[in-house]
């Protein structure tokens, strides 16, 4: 379904992503972990074609998406939704308009300039908002919503695209634990109910363990771990983050649960 | 503890000394500046045809003539106002149309000339220089050429002001664009939106209040510009003023009426636009 082969991105002499290679055969929820600067975001941005790749191939359902240009590239972008850490909504526009932006690629430029969206699209947008539990805020400006609500609007925009893949770049990094859980639950549900592939960059190990079917660990632009969450032991995690034995997952955990129960799970 | 190489024995005397040195330098600079100014002025006066000193007492002659002519005919002023009102409207119309069209061109040019937004990043210098040229050409020069080509009337004035406005506003708009948040634009890019959609839906909502504010300021300036362009034959109230003035004594009451009309119009639009701009700035929060 998805084949990434020797995907490389260099900025000058700096290599952000170094010969990244992996294959995904069916829609699953994939978590990418690694410390800041490991190349996680660069990979997602290359996949969405926001950042041009230096070399390599990225084949999705038989098409090398890195070769697409112009309209073909934009059509791929509409198939491959992206969710950002800072939500990237248009703050002065209302929530439904922001969700309807997901259809921009399908609609004529002139129509969208004057906000002429078909009624069924508007209904669909409100239904998606309802599914994510924020339909009450439909008419508000995006900037009036809390961070967790804004991220759900961003997910609604992604769903409006009816994409095959959803990329999420640190979707919960600017949210409190409560909202983080709501957002991650929503992403997992989208995968379970709609069968869409979800690839998420995550900065906490426990989130990756809890929500993902497969975890990819990156360090200095290279894949250093690729396996199931169960295989992700503390030793492996230390290797991914380049940490010594003082590293403890529970120290930065944002999950809400019994503290003692958590410590028992981590072998020292 | 002192950081200077030779610690001062008497800080007071040292400071006074430094102060006097500073005063001396300041005074010398002032003196040189005044000297240059005076000598340059003398040179200019010598080369002038009329001479400044001999002309100085006559500066108030024209206003006095106008006053003397118009004062006894005050009762005719409202009539003159009515007569010249249509040409005043023409002047305002020229300004309004050229501000609107010029601003529309400026929006496109400014997007193409802003780093991070430009459709063709390599062509940014091309569009910037284009705006420089548009802005550098005074309206009156363009208008004179166009009047020569197209004949007198409001259309050459409109084209001239539009051209200048597009360059001037384009520069200001581009500076506003640089402060626009790129995150929403990236968001729209990620869904596969085209360039026009990204600009219209991602940038314009952020910058519209600032655009509008600059547009109003330009409208004010353009009213004055279009009044002046009348002098070179581009229609409107400037043309009437030129006629009234060239009739000479006996017709200065008309000139006075036009002066008053122009003055009032400019004051009204100044006040109006500063009111609206103030409101925008407070609402926009920046």
């Amino acid at each position: 379904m998805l084949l990434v082969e020797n995907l490389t991105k260099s900025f000058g002499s700096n290599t952000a992503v170094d010969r990244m290679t992996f294959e995904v055969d069916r829609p699953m929820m994939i978590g990418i972990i690694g410390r800041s600067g490991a190349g996680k975001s660069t990979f997602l941005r290359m996949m969405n074609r926001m950042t041009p790749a230096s070399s390599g191939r990225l084949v999705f359902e038989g098409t090398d998406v890195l070769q697409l240009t112009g309209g073909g590239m934009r059509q791929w972008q509409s198939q491959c939704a992206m969710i950002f850490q800072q939500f990237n909504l248009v703050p002065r526009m209302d929530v439904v308009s922001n969700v309807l932006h997901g259809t921009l690629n399908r609609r004529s430029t002139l129509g969208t300039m004057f906000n002429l969206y078909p009624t069924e699209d508007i209904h669909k947008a409100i239904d998606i908002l309802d599914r994510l539990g924020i339909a009450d805020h439909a008419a508000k400006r995006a900037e009036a919503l809390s961070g967790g609500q804004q991220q759900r609007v961003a997910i609604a925009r992604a769903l409006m695209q009816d994409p095959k893949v959803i990329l999420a770049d640190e979707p919960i990094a600017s949210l409190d634990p409560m909202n983080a859980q709501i957002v991650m639950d929503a992403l997992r549900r989208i995968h379970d109910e709609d069968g869409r592939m979800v690839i998420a960059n995550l900065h906490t190990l426990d989130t990756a363990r809890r929500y993902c079917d497969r975890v990819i660990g990156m360090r200095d632009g290279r894949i250093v771990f690729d396996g199931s969450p169960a295989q992700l032991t503390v030793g492996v995690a230390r290797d991914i983050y380049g940490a010594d034995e003082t590293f403890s997952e529970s120290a930065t955990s944002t999950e809400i649960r019994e503290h003692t129960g958590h410590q028992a799970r981590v072998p020292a | 503890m002192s950081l200077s190489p030779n610690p001062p024995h008497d800080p007071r005397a040292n400071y006074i000394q430094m102060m006097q040195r500073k005063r001396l330098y300041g005074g010398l600079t002032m003196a040189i500046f005044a000297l240059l100014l005076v000598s340059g002025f003398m040179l200019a006066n010598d080369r002038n045809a009329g001479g400044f000193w001999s002309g100085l007492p006559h500066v108030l002659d024209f206003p006095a003539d106008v006053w003397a002519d118009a004062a006894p005919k005050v009762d005719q002023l409202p009539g003159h106002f009515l007569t010249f009102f249509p040409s005043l409207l023409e002047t305002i119309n020229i300004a309004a149309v050229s501000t609107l069209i010029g601003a529309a061109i400026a929006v496109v040019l400014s997007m193409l000339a802003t780093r991070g937004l430009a459709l063709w990043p390599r062509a940014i210098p091309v569009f910037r220089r284009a705006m420089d040229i548009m802005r550098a050409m005074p309206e009156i020069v363009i208008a004179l050429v166009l009047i020569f080509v197209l004949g007198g009337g409001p259309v050459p004035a409109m084209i001239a002001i539009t051209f200048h406005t597009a360059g001037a506003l384009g520069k200001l708009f581009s500076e506003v664009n640089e402060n626009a948040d790129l995150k929403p634009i990236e968001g729209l890019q990620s869904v596969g939106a085209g360039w026009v959609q990204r600009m219209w839906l991602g940038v314009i909502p952020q910058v519209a209040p600032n655009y509008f504010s600059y547009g109003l300021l330009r409208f004010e300036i353009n009213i004055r510009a279009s009044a002046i362009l009348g002098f070179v034959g581009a229609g409107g109230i400037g043309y009437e003023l030129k006629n009234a003035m060239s009739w000479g004594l006996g017709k200065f009451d008309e000139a006075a009426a036009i002066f008053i009309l122009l003055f009032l119009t400019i004051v009204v639009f100044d006040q109006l636009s500063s009111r609206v701009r103030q409101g925008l700035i407070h609402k926009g929060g920046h």
Side-chain angles (χ1 to χ4, degrees), chain A residues 45 77 88 92 104-105 113, chain B residues 183 186 190 192 197 200 205:
Chain A
R45 294 176 65 91
Q77 287 177 318
N88 292 21
R92 283 169 183 270
L104 285 182
N105 186 251
M113 277 171 77
Chain B
K183 287 201 291 287
E186 220 169 46
S190 78
Q197 291 173 325
W200 185 266

Side-chain angles (χ1 to χ4, degrees), chain B residues 78 159 204 255:
Chain B
I159 299 174
I204 298 284

Side-chain angles (χ1 to χ4, degrees), chain A residues 45 48 50 74 77-78 80 82 84 86 88-93 101 104-105 107 109 112-113 157 161, chain B residues 182-184 186-198 200-202 205-207 209 284 286:
Chain A
R45 294 176 65 91
N48 182 266
M50 302 233 289
R74 286 201 296 278
Q77 287 177 318
S78 79
C80 170
M82 184 110 170
F84 300 83
Q86 297 292 336
N88 292 21
L89 302 171
V90 181
R92 283 169 183 270
M93 287 189 141
H101 287 166
L104 285 182
N105 186 251
R107 301 280 165 234
T109 302
T112 52
M113 277 171 77
R157 177 174 71 188
Q161 293 176 240
Chain B
L182 292 176
K183 287 201 291 287
E186 220 169 46
L188 293 179
Q189 191 190 358
S190 78
V191 307
W195 186 76
V196 177
Q197 291 173 325
R198 292 205 296 276
W200 185 266
L201 299 167
Q206 295 187 59
V207 295
H286 54 119

Side-chain angles (χ1 to χ4, degrees), chain A residues 4 28 31 37 43 61 76 150-151 165 192 197 213 242:
Chain A
V4 180
M28 49 166 75
F43 166 66
E61 291 181 342
W76 160 248
Q150 287 195 40
Q151 193 60 295
V165 191
D192 290 343
M197 185 191 290
D213 308 314

Side-chain angles (χ1 to χ4, degrees), chain A residues 51-72:
Chain A
T51 303
S54 303
S55 63
R57 293 201 315 150
L58 203 158
V59 182
F60 188 83
E61 291 181 342
T63 320
D64 186 354
V65 298
L66 299 181
Q67 301 302 321
L68 299 171
T69 53

Side-chain angles (χ1 to χ4, degrees), chain B residues 209-283:
Chain B
N210 292 15
Y211 276 12
F212 194 66
S213 163
Y214 279 133
L216 277 176
L217 192 68
R218 199 67 223 176
F219 181 46
E220 264 177 67
I221 298 169
N222 285 348
I223 290 178
R224 288 189 281 266
S226 87
I228 291 166
L229 286 188
F231 260 82
V232 297
I237 197 124
Y239 183 64
E240 301 291 344
L241 180 63
K242 187 191 163 200
N243 282 346
M245 278 168 69
S246 50
W247 290 122
L249 268 175
K251 278 286 189 184
F252 277 159
D253 52 328
E254 288 185 358
I258 294 171
F259 275 131
I260 295 170
L261 263 184
L262 251 182
F263 177 74
L264 286 180
T265 310
I266 288 168
V267 167
V268 164
F269 277 99
D270 253 42
Q271 291 298 314
L272 214 69
S273 89
S274 69
R275 231 14 101 69
V276 176
R277 273 153 43 84
Q278 204 68 28
L280 277 178
I281 289 162
H282 279 298
K283 205 170 58 189

